[in-house]
Amino acid sequence: MADIIVLDDVIDAGVLIKRILERKGHAVSVFTDEEEAIAHVRGKGADLAILDMKLRRMTGVEVLEELKKLRPDIRVIMLTGYPTLETARESLRLGANEYCVKPIDKDELESKVAEVLGA
């Protein structure tokens, strides 16, 4: 299965995603700090990053840009509680594979992860 990182400024949101995806057999690391998530990908890599748009110091789009510089092949799903056409377009333009709206729907998350990972 896949090595996945989740970056969300709300730890409970990350833990919920972790629980859902670990039941599917994935290894999931949860971060609330942008620099720690980027350092993890730099050091260990990841197959998939699930990034919230609104973070503490950076935006999810800025983290997406950094991760793509480190690992151009990393797949990315963006999360937002405030969907706009502009953020969706920007995310996809910068290499995000998919877009999910909060609150997280378990079935939608599972199917988008499977689709993005090519399962």
Side-chain angles (χ1 to χ4, degrees), residues 1 3 6 15 19 27 32 34-35 41 45 61-63 65-66 69 75 78 84 91 94 105 109-110 112 114:
M1 297 315 287
D3 182 17
V6 178
V15 169
R19 282 195 197 121
T32 57
E34 301 91 333
E35 294 300 329
V41 171
V61 172
E62 290 169 331
V63 175
E65 284 186 281
E66 289 300 312
K69 285 179 200 166
R75 283 156 283 190
M78 302 302 293
T84 68
S91 300
L94 291 169
D105 176 79
L109 178 67
E110 289 173 351
K112 286 188 176 185

Side-chain angles (χ1 to χ4, degrees), residues 40-64:
H40 178 88
V41 171
R42 183 181 296 115
K44 296 183 180 173
D47 300 305
L48 171 65
I50 300 176
L51 308 174
D52 191 15
M53 295 292 286
K54 297 236 186 269
L55 299 165
R56 292 192 175 121
R57 292 187 301 274
M58 300 169 75
T59 67
V61 172
E62 290 169 331
V63 175
L64 167 63

